[in-house]
Amino acid sequence: MNLISPKDVPRSSSGSSLADDFFGKSWCRFPLDAVLAQWAESAVASARAVVKAPEHAQWLRCGGTWFAGVNALPNAGDGAVAGGPPLRGQAVDFISEKLGLTEFAFDQAQVSVCYPGYPKPMAGESEAAFGYRRNRDAAHVDGLRPEGPDRRRHLREYHGFLLGIPLVEADPDASPLVVWEGSHEIIRKAFVDEFGALGPANWGDR
């Protein structure tokens, strides 16, 4: 890892370093970045087209108040969308310098939209399931995929990081992205206990 010195790490709004926030809470918030804003400007038109495309109509749920996050943005491996600039900026620098990830291709980005009125029940959703989503923000570990008639979850997708980028301005009262701070250490221990003796190729079959 090519670690930068603490004095060179951008500070969060709380005064702690972004690295402190990320490794301590499992997330950090980057300040407004002109380089990333340029990328967002180039991507927003494609994102708007994605949510309106007929082939993605099944992802509009909850009474039309939520476009579920699906890998639908047509970005290239460097993050570029529709001939726009590659994905760069402070957040990408942080990934390289603090997480040690210097050579990777960006996955096809998810597009997720919460519209006014969210949350509303999904078609066929039980009262308990809706309550869990409304009151507990449908807490889950991304990448554990439900399979088979019993919907048992398997570790099929694992991420080096998750990078959330707002493409439009949102009202402070809009539905936020929710992260359960500190849960990464609980899940890390559980995963080490469960998968530590196995190679990655066998994780999904556990």
Side-chain angles (χ1 to χ4, degrees), residues 137-203:
D137 300 295
H140 66 282
V141 177
D142 205 27
L144 287 175
R145 303 293 299 274
E147 299 177 3
D150 59 354
R151 307 290 286 170
R152 185 178 183 277
R153 290 187 176 269
H154 294 262
L155 184 57
R156 299 293 188 193
E157 299 175 354
Y158 20 95
H159 317 293
F161 60 88
L162 296 176
L163 176 60
I165 305 172
L167 296 182
V168 298
E169 291 188 21
D171 187 276
D173 294 327
S175 182
L177 173 67
V178 176
V179 180
W180 295 90
E181 292 183 352
S183 63
H184 62 305
E185 295 297 348
I186 298 172
I187 298 300
R188 186 201 311 277
K189 182 181 183 307
F191 277 12
V192 168
D193 291 345
E194 185 69 21
F195 303 110
L198 301 175
N202 298 315
W203 289 350

Side-chain angles (χ1 to χ4, degrees), residues 95-113:
I95 291 166
S96 172
E97 295 164 352
K98 303 303 288 184
L99 305 187
L101 301 174
T102 57
E103 295 184 9
F104 62 88
F106 284 104
D107 196 7
Q108 186 176 9
Q110 293 188 358
V111 178
S112 181
V113 184

